[in-house]
């Protein structure tokens, strides 16, 4: 009986040791840490109430799916990274297919701030949508992203631009 009890206790101890395997990659404790722990690749860019960008044969061109209608292949593989080391700097990097005339991989650098309730990200210089707004309308835009989803694999944000219009970015984690 004593041997049975010792074997039983040894089995319980072994199960406890193996079941309590320490996680080598603990989850980030804040949204700022989660943002900074990954690099984010754009997966989609849409607008809910399209802007008229141009006319073709007298007809207005107002795409809702900017990812497939407006962005070139050289932009679809861009990466955005957030540093959370006290500097709060983000970079947008042209990786893979480089855009024509690109002289550097990093095409945008700016500061970022997460709201105190961790529901919004303010970017001092805008990202891809702002680039096109500036291109078509001649204005410079910072962006405030409302976080609709943030986890280890996906970042989804909306970027209101007024008149009931908002862009929605979806990013996937690449690192």
């Amino acid at each position: 009986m004593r041997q049975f009890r010792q074997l039983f206790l040894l089995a319980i101890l072994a199960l406890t040791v193996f079941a309590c395997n320490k996680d080598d990659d603990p989850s980030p404790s804040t949204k700022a840490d989660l943002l900074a722990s990954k690099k984010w690749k754009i997966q989609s860019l849409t607008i809910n109430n399209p802007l008229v960008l141009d006319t073709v044969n007298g007809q207005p061109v107002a795409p809702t799916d900017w990812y497939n209608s407006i962005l070139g292949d050289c932009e679809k593989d861009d990466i955005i990274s957030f540093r959370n080391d006290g500097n709060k700097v983000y970079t947008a990097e042209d990786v893979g297919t480089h855009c024509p005339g690109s002289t550097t991989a990093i095409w945008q650098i700016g500061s970022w701030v997460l709201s105190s309730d961790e529901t919004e990200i303010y970017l001092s210089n805008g990202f891809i949508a702002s680039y096109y707004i500036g291109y078509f309308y001649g204005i410079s835009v910072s962006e405030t992203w409302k976080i609709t989803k943030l986890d280890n694999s996906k970042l989804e944000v909306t970027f209101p631009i007024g008149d009931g219009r908002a862009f929605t970015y979806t990013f996937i984690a690449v690192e």
Side-chain angles (χ1 to χ4, degrees):
M1 183 61 112
R2 183 180 167 133
Q3 244 179 344
F4 176 74
R5 190 175 1 172
Q6 287 176 342
L7 284 174
F8 179 73
L9 289 175
L10 184 59
I12 295 293
L13 179 63
L15 284 174
T16 304
V17 168
F18 290 112
C20 295
N21 189 7
K22 183 179 176 184
D23 188 0
D24 292 336
D25 188 21
S27 296
S29 59
T30 66
K31 287 186 178 181
D33 291 338
L34 181 56
L35 279 171
S37 71
K38 308 286 182 187
K39 289 187 177 186
W40 303 95
K41 178 180 176 261
I42 191 166
Q43 185 179 46
S44 71
L45 174 60
T46 59
I47 187 169
N48 66 329
N49 185 7
L51 298 162
V52 175
L53 300 178
D54 207 346
T55 57
V56 174
N57 299 326
Q59 298 298 312
V61 176
T64 56
D65 179 358
W66 278 44
Y67 184 83
N68 290 305
S69 301
I70 304 295
L71 300 186
D73 289 340
C74 66
E75 295 157 319
K76 291 178 181 177
D77 59 6
D78 288 0
I79 301 290
I80 187 167
S81 304
F82 298 88
R83 285 180 39 200
N84 191 27
D85 59 2
N87 293 322
K88 299 283 191 189
V89 172
Y90 79 91
T91 57
E93 187 174 357
D94 190 3
V95 298
T97 305
H98 292 284
C99 292
S102 177
T103 58
T104 179
I106 295 177
W107 61 267
Q108 183 70 281
I109 297 174
S111 60
W112 67 280
V113 176
L114 194 62
S115 63
S116 60
D117 62 358
E118 296 190 325
T119 61
E120 294 182 332
I121 307 167
Y122 172 78
L123 304 177
S124 63
N125 297 318
F127 193 55
I128 292 175
S130 293
Y131 170 81
Y132 281 101
I133 291 169
Y135 177 80
F136 288 112
Y137 293 96
I139 56 174
S140 178
V141 180
S142 60
E143 295 183 19
T144 300
W145 292 353
K146 295 180 188 230
I147 300 170
T148 56
K149 180 173 182 147
L150 175 58
D151 60 28
N152 282 317
S153 61
K154 187 177 274 189
L155 168 62
E156 186 175 277
V157 296
T158 59
F159 161 41
I161 60 171
D163 297 329
R165 291 184 173 101
F167 285 98
T168 299
Y169 289 105
T170 303
F171 299 91
I172 56 172
V174 292
E175 283 187 36

